[in-house]
Amino acid sequence: MYENCPFHTQDISLNAVLQRATKDLIYLNTLVSQPMDLGSLDASVINAESAFTGQWDQNLKVFLNRDHALAKNIPVKISGGLMPLYSHSATVEQAKIMADEIVEWIRLGPKGLASTHPLEDRFDAKRYWRGPSWLHINWMIADGLSHYGHDDVAELLRQTSRSIVDQSGYWEYFDPITGEGCGGPHFSWTAAIALHWLL
């Protein structure tokens, strides 16, 4: 998914989305009149949480993608490294560290949340996953921030995301420095997120 990562990597953002979906399925199962045995899903959640633990980087203040061929984490700060907020897989302490980091991240790229940290050598404001701000990612991270009680930072992310839609319209993604719309115009997932979250 990310251009920063070779194909043999473990994508932290994808794993976080799958983890959240699995947790939601387990919860929905508790609401039905005849719950199913979801032991395999419970085990999957536990295994995933263990994997997340090994991908946290205290110095970079995010979770990292993992290169399985080299058996090491990839030290590049990307917005996907904040996605364990969305899956509720971060500790309270990690969530606080990431909330503070997001404030700084937005200070450097005030139009949403850059998909690669603006101070990374690989940052490119208009090159797909190397820099642009994506509304659906911003929404998931904000949702996770609220789960951990960081509503002020979630609101900051919501307001900066709204500012780019107000400025440029419903583009596929946005330059996080200027707010310029990039990729395809009239993009449905941007419009859907805006209707759900921003308007």
Side-chain angles (χ1 to χ4, degrees), residues 27-196:
Y27 170 71
L28 289 172
N29 189 52
T30 68
L31 303 179
V32 299
S33 58
Q34 296 181 334
M36 298 174 62
D37 178 5
L38 298 182
S40 63
L41 291 185
D42 292 328
S44 174
V45 166
I46 292 168
N47 289 338
E49 298 293 307
S50 177
F52 284 130
T53 299
Q55 292 174 266
W56 171 251
D57 190 292
Q58 188 74 16
N59 294 323
L60 294 180
K61 303 176 183 177
V62 296
F63 290 82
L64 300 176
N65 284 326
R66 183 159 183 82
D67 186 323
H68 288 293
L70 299 177
K72 65 179 184 179
N73 292 334
I74 302 168
V76 178
K77 292 173 72 166
I78 60 174
S79 60
L82 305 166
M83 288 291 286
L85 291 167
Y86 179 68
S87 62
H88 310 161
S89 301
T91 66
V92 171
E93 179 185 4
Q94 289 166 344
K96 173 65 168 71
I97 290 169
M98 287 189 285
D100 292 341
E101 180 65 15
I102 288 167
V103 173
E104 177 64 12
W105 206 313
I106 291 174
R107 186 185 68 78
L108 295 168
K111 299 296 184 173
L113 184 72
S115 52
T116 296
H117 193 281
L119 296 182
E120 284 282 355
D121 291 341
R122 299 178 182 196
F123 173 76
D124 184 330
K126 292 181 172 62
R127 188 172 174 192
Y128 226 57
W129 291 106
R130 292 218 178 166
S133 176
W134 299 76
L135 251 63
H136 61 295
I137 301 297
N138 295 351
W139 167 71
M140 287 187 277
I141 292 171
D143 181 83
L145 286 164
S146 292
H147 170 78
Y148 286 95
H150 299 289
D151 294 313
D152 54 337
V153 184
E155 180 61 18
L156 172 65
L157 186 50
R158 190 179 80 82
Q159 289 298 334
T160 58
S161 297
R162 181 168 184 168
S163 74
I164 51 180
V165 171
D166 289 345
Q167 172 187 329
S168 299
Y170 302 105
W171 286 82
E172 182 180 1
Y173 51 93
F174 301 87
D175 183 315
I177 308 298
T178 67
E180 176 190 350
C182 303
H186 313 299
F187 223 73
S188 60
W189 73 33
T190 302
I193 290 295
L195 286 169
H196 169 70

